[in-house]
Amino acid sequence: MKKSISLNVYKNIVIAIAIMIYFIGINSMYYKLEKNSLLSILKVLSIVILFAGIIILEIAYRKDNGKLGINSLEVIFLAGHTLSIAHIVELHKFGFANYILVSSYIFSIYYLFKAVFIYTKERKDYLNSLSDIKEIVANEPVKKEATKKGEKI
C-alpha cells in the first residue's frame, strides 16, 4: 500500500515538472521565433495534445478507470489552454512571458495540491485499514419482543 501511495504522488510531481518544462519550452520559442511561426507551433501543439487527451480518454473509458479519465480531462484542458494563449495575451494585453510564467505556476501548483490530496487520502485509507475495531464492535441493535406484564385472566 505504501508503494502505491508514493507512486501516485510521484506521478503527479513528475507531471508538474513536465508541464513546467513544457511552458519553459513555449517561453523559449517566444524569444527565438517570430510571432506567426510561434502561433502556428502553438496550434499544432494544441492539436497534438488534444489528440493525446482524447486517446487517453478512450483508454480510460475502455478500462473503466476513473483516475485515467481525470488525467485525460486535464490533458484536454492543457490543450485548450495552449490554443488560447495567443488570444488571451492579445485580448488582455498581457506580456507573453509573464502569462506563460503564471500559467506554468498555476498548473504546477494544481498538480502539487493534487499530489498532497492523494497522499493524505490514501494515507488515511491505509491507516483505517490497519484498525480492526470496526469489525470487532458491531453496532447492530438487538431487538426484543414486547411483552405485557401482569396480565392474568
Side-chain angles (χ1 to χ4, degrees):
M1 181 67 171
K2 285 197 173 220
K3 289 189 181 204
S4 70
I5 290 173
S6 60
L7 182 65
N8 288 332
V9 171
Y10 289 135
K11 281 181 185 179
N12 281 299
I13 292 173
V14 167
I15 290 171
I17 292 170
I19 288 178
M20 287 288 283
I21 292 171
Y22 171 73
F23 282 117
I24 289 171
I26 290 175
N27 204 10
S28 65
M29 284 190 297
Y30 170 72
Y31 289 114
K32 293 182 181 180
L33 300 174
E34 59 185 54
K35 186 176 180 179
N36 290 334
S37 59
L38 177 66
L39 292 176
S40 299
I41 289 174
L42 286 176
K43 289 176 186 176
V44 169
L45 274 174
S46 66
I47 290 172
V48 168
I49 294 171
L50 181 65
F51 281 140
I54 291 172
I55 289 170
I56 294 170
L57 187 64
E58 287 293 324
I59 292 170
Y61 177 72
R62 290 182 191 194
K63 290 185 177 182
D64 196 25
N65 189 343
K67 290 181 182 179
L68 196 58
I70 291 172
N71 288 340
S72 68
L73 294 177
E74 292 166 349
V75 170
I76 291 171
F77 183 78
L78 180 66
H81 178 72
T82 302
L83 187 61
S84 68
I85 288 173
H87 177 68
I88 291 176
V89 167
E90 286 293 321
L91 182 67
H92 295 291
K93 305 293 186 219
F94 293 137
F96 187 87
N98 292 335
Y99 183 72
I100 294 298
L101 182 68
V102 170
S103 296
S104 66
Y105 286 160
I106 290 172
F107 274 95
S108 298
I109 288 170
Y110 166 76
Y111 278 103
L112 292 177
F113 276 141
K114 184 179 170 189
V116 168
F117 178 76
I118 288 172
Y119 176 76
T120 55
K121 183 182 179 304
E122 290 186 358
R123 181 75 177 165
K124 180 182 173 189
D125 292 343
Y126 173 70
L127 291 175
N128 285 338
S129 72
L130 294 178
S131 176
D132 59 350
I133 292 175
K134 291 180 183 177
E135 296 171 5
I136 295 171
V137 178
N139 288 333
E140 297 176 17
V142 178
K143 293 185 178 180
K144 293 184 179 180
E145 291 185 29
T147 58
K148 293 183 179 179
K149 292 185 179 182
E151 189 174 291
K152 294 181 184 178
I153 300 182

